[in-house]
Short mmCIF file of all heavy atoms in Angstrom, two decimals:
data_model
loop_
_atom_site.label_atom_id
_atom_site.label_comp_id
_atom_site.label_asym_id
_atom_site.label_seq_id
_atom_site.Cartn_x
_atom_site.Cartn_y
_atom_site.Cartn_z
N LEU A 186 9.05 -0.23 -9.23
CA LEU A 186 10.15 -0.78 -9.96
C LEU A 186 11.39 0.10 -9.52
O LEU A 186 11.28 1.23 -9.18
CB LEU A 186 9.94 -0.59 -11.43
CG LEU A 186 9.11 -1.59 -12.18
CD1 LEU A 186 9.05 -1.31 -13.69
CD2 LEU A 186 9.68 -3.01 -12.00
N ASP A 187 12.52 -0.57 -9.72
CA ASP A 187 13.73 0.22 -9.53
C ASP A 187 14.13 1.00 -10.72
O ASP A 187 15.03 0.77 -11.40
CB ASP A 187 14.95 -0.78 -9.18
CG ASP A 187 16.14 0.02 -8.71
OD1 ASP A 187 16.24 1.16 -8.48
OD2 ASP A 187 17.22 -0.74 -8.60
N ASP A 188 13.20 2.09 -11.03
CA ASP A 188 13.48 2.85 -12.17
C ASP A 188 14.82 3.54 -12.19
O ASP A 188 15.56 3.62 -13.22
CB ASP A 188 12.36 3.90 -12.29
CG ASP A 188 10.96 3.27 -12.56
OD1 ASP A 188 10.68 2.74 -13.50
OD2 ASP A 188 10.18 3.23 -11.50
N PHE A 189 15.17 4.11 -11.03
CA PHE A 189 16.45 4.85 -10.92
C PHE A 189 17.61 3.92 -11.16
O PHE A 189 18.49 4.19 -12.03
CB PHE A 189 16.61 5.49 -9.58
CG PHE A 189 17.88 6.10 -9.23
CD1 PHE A 189 18.18 7.42 -9.80
CD2 PHE A 189 18.78 5.52 -8.61
CE1 PHE A 189 19.37 8.04 -9.48
CE2 PHE A 189 20.06 6.14 -8.29
CZ PHE A 189 20.34 7.42 -8.70
N GLY A 190 17.64 2.82 -10.44
CA GLY A 190 18.75 1.88 -10.50
C GLY A 190 18.90 1.26 -11.85
O GLY A 190 19.99 1.09 -12.39
N GLY A 191 17.71 0.86 -12.57
CA GLY A 191 17.71 0.23 -13.81
C GLY A 191 18.24 1.19 -14.89
O GLY A 191 19.11 0.79 -15.76
N ALA A 192 17.93 2.44 -14.85
CA ALA A 192 18.35 3.35 -15.83
C ALA A 192 19.89 3.74 -15.56
O ALA A 192 20.70 3.75 -16.65
CB ALA A 192 17.54 4.63 -15.71
N GLY A 193 20.24 3.76 -14.36
CA GLY A 193 21.67 4.00 -14.04
C GLY A 193 22.61 2.84 -14.57
O GLY A 193 23.60 3.02 -15.09
N GLU A 194 22.16 1.56 -14.34
CA GLU A 194 22.83 0.48 -14.77
C GLU A 194 23.09 0.42 -16.20
O GLU A 194 24.14 0.09 -16.77
CB GLU A 194 22.35 -0.85 -14.32
CG GLU A 194 23.15 -2.07 -14.66
CD GLU A 194 22.25 -3.37 -14.28
OE1 GLU A 194 21.22 -3.25 -13.78
OE2 GLU A 194 22.89 -4.43 -14.51
N ALA A 195 21.93 0.71 -16.95
CA ALA A 195 21.97 0.63 -18.40
C ALA A 195 22.95 1.65 -18.95
O ALA A 195 23.71 1.38 -19.81
CB ALA A 195 20.62 0.79 -19.01
N THR A 196 22.90 2.99 -18.48
CA THR A 196 23.63 4.04 -18.84
C THR A 196 25.14 3.79 -18.54
O THR A 196 26.07 3.98 -19.43
CB THR A 196 23.26 5.34 -18.25
OG1 THR A 196 21.87 5.50 -18.55
CG2 THR A 196 24.07 6.58 -18.85
N GLU A 220 12.40 9.38 -12.61
CA GLU A 220 13.33 8.56 -11.98
C GLU A 220 14.38 7.95 -12.91
O GLU A 220 15.54 7.91 -12.67
CB GLU A 220 12.59 7.49 -11.25
CG GLU A 220 11.96 7.82 -9.94
CD GLU A 220 13.04 8.37 -8.97
OE1 GLU A 220 13.67 7.51 -8.33
OE2 GLU A 220 13.12 9.54 -8.67
N ARG A 221 13.86 7.66 -14.10
CA ARG A 221 14.85 6.98 -15.08
C ARG A 221 15.71 8.12 -15.66
O ARG A 221 17.00 7.83 -15.93
CB ARG A 221 13.94 6.42 -16.25
CG ARG A 221 13.22 5.22 -15.83
CD ARG A 221 12.17 4.62 -16.74
NE ARG A 221 11.24 3.65 -16.19
CZ ARG A 221 10.31 3.02 -16.76
NH1 ARG A 221 10.07 3.28 -18.03
NH2 ARG A 221 9.67 2.12 -16.05
N ARG A 223 16.72 10.80 -13.91
CA ARG A 223 17.62 10.92 -12.75
C ARG A 223 18.62 9.84 -12.79
O ARG A 223 19.78 10.11 -12.45
CB ARG A 223 16.75 10.90 -11.40
CG ARG A 223 17.59 11.39 -10.26
CD ARG A 223 16.56 11.69 -9.14
NE ARG A 223 16.07 10.51 -8.55
CZ ARG A 223 16.71 9.75 -7.54
NH1 ARG A 223 17.75 10.15 -7.08
NH2 ARG A 223 16.12 8.64 -7.10
N GLY A 224 18.36 8.64 -12.97
CA GLY A 224 19.37 7.47 -13.06
C GLY A 224 20.35 7.73 -14.07
O GLY A 224 21.50 7.52 -14.08
N PHE A 295 14.45 0.99 -21.65
CA PHE A 295 13.86 0.56 -20.47
C PHE A 295 12.54 -0.19 -20.94
O PHE A 295 11.80 0.30 -21.82
CB PHE A 295 13.44 1.66 -19.47
CG PHE A 295 13.39 1.28 -18.03
CD1 PHE A 295 14.46 1.69 -17.25
CD2 PHE A 295 12.39 0.53 -17.54
CE1 PHE A 295 14.45 1.34 -15.90
CE2 PHE A 295 12.39 0.10 -16.23
CZ PHE A 295 13.33 0.56 -15.26
N VAL A 311 16.40 -2.84 -20.22
CA VAL A 311 16.19 -3.02 -18.87
C VAL A 311 14.97 -3.86 -18.71
O VAL A 311 13.92 -3.49 -19.13
CB VAL A 311 16.09 -1.70 -18.14
CG1 VAL A 311 15.84 -1.94 -16.59
CG2 VAL A 311 17.32 -0.76 -18.36
N THR A 350 15.56 -4.82 -11.23
CA THR A 350 15.62 -4.92 -12.76
C THR A 350 17.01 -5.60 -13.20
O THR A 350 17.77 -5.93 -12.33
CB THR A 350 15.66 -3.52 -13.34
OG1 THR A 350 16.82 -2.76 -12.94
CG2 THR A 350 14.40 -2.78 -13.05
#
Side-chain angles (χ1 to χ4, degrees):
L186 278 179
D187 187 9
D188 295 287
F189 174 83
E194 179 186 5
T196 305
E220 283 295 286
R221 293 170 192 179
R223 192 168 69 88
F295 212 105
V311 179
T350 61

